[in-house]
């Protein structure tokens, strides 16, 4: 099982960019599907993006996005560093939320449910107008 620690959140103006990082412990990181979720105040946690495990590739994997972030957010992974990233561009006020990193051995679980194997502690992203 992996453990996850997010970083990179903060306050940014609308239209700006942030990059979130999620560092994972454990020797089997490359075999996990990884995802980002977010939860705004008073709302349920929702899927943002996911990347499948990449086999023998150092950084490959299929990617999946919520419609609300397609074309603005990019998920990537670096298995050599045991890290997954979420590059967020053209941020909007409605992107304000606590962002959580998630890991599961099954990409379908990450993409379609919140019943993932492991969660990070979350990092706050606030977008101001």
């Amino acid at each position: 099982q992996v453990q996850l620690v997010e970083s990179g959140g903060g306050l940014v103006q609308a239209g700006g960019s942030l990059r979130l990082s999620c560092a994972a412990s454990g020797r089997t990181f490359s075999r996990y599907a990884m995802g980002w979720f977010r939860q705004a105040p008073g709302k349920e946690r929702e899927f943002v993006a996911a990347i499948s495990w990449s086999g023998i590739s150092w950084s490959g994997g299929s990617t999946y996005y919520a419609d609300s972030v397609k074309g603005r957010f990019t998920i990537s992974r670096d298995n050599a560093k045991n890290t997954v990233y979420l590059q967020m561009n053209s941020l909007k006020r409605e992107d304000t939320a606590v962002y959580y990193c998630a890991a599961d051995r099954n990409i379908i679980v990450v993409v379609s449910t919140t019943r993932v194997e492991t969660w990070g502690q979350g990092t706050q992203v606030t977008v101001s107008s």
Side-chain angles (χ1 to χ4, degrees):
Q1 191 172 5
V2 296
Q3 293 182 321
L4 308 173
V5 178
E6 302 99 329
S7 62
L11 174 64
V12 63
Q13 287 191 328
S17 298
L18 278 176
R19 188 176 82 156
L20 305 183
S21 299
C22 174
S25 64
R27 293 178 292 177
T28 59
F29 170 76
S30 65
R31 294 188 176 271
Y32 277 80
M34 301 297 297
W36 289 95
F37 290 73
R38 67 187 180 186
Q39 188 166 19
K43 295 188 176 181
E44 293 185 351
R45 192 169 298 189
E46 64 175 5
F47 169 76
V48 174
I51 185 166
S52 64
W53 80 287
S54 50
I56 62 173
S57 169
W58 284 111
S59 61
S62 299
T63 57
Y64 307 82
Y65 297 95
D67 288 343
S68 58
V69 306
K70 278 181 183 176
R72 300 188 298 122
F73 290 12
T74 302
I75 188 170
S76 61
R77 67 191 298 161
D78 186 337
N79 290 337
K81 296 182 178 180
N82 275 17
T83 301
V84 63
Y85 304 98
L86 185 68
Q87 178 66 44
M88 305 186 294
N89 299 328
S90 303
L91 283 161
K92 306 176 181 179
R93 286 191 64 186
E94 50 264 43
D95 295 318
T96 295
V98 177
Y99 283 70
Y100 296 90
C101 181
D104 197 280
R105 288 171 236 255
N106 189 336
I107 184 64
I108 296 175
V109 171
V110 179
V111 172
S112 60
T113 80
T114 56
R115 296 189 296 273
V116 299
E117 184 176 328
T118 304
W119 291 103
Q121 84 287 353
T123 185
Q124 176 71 47
V125 171
T126 303
V127 184
S128 64
S129 58

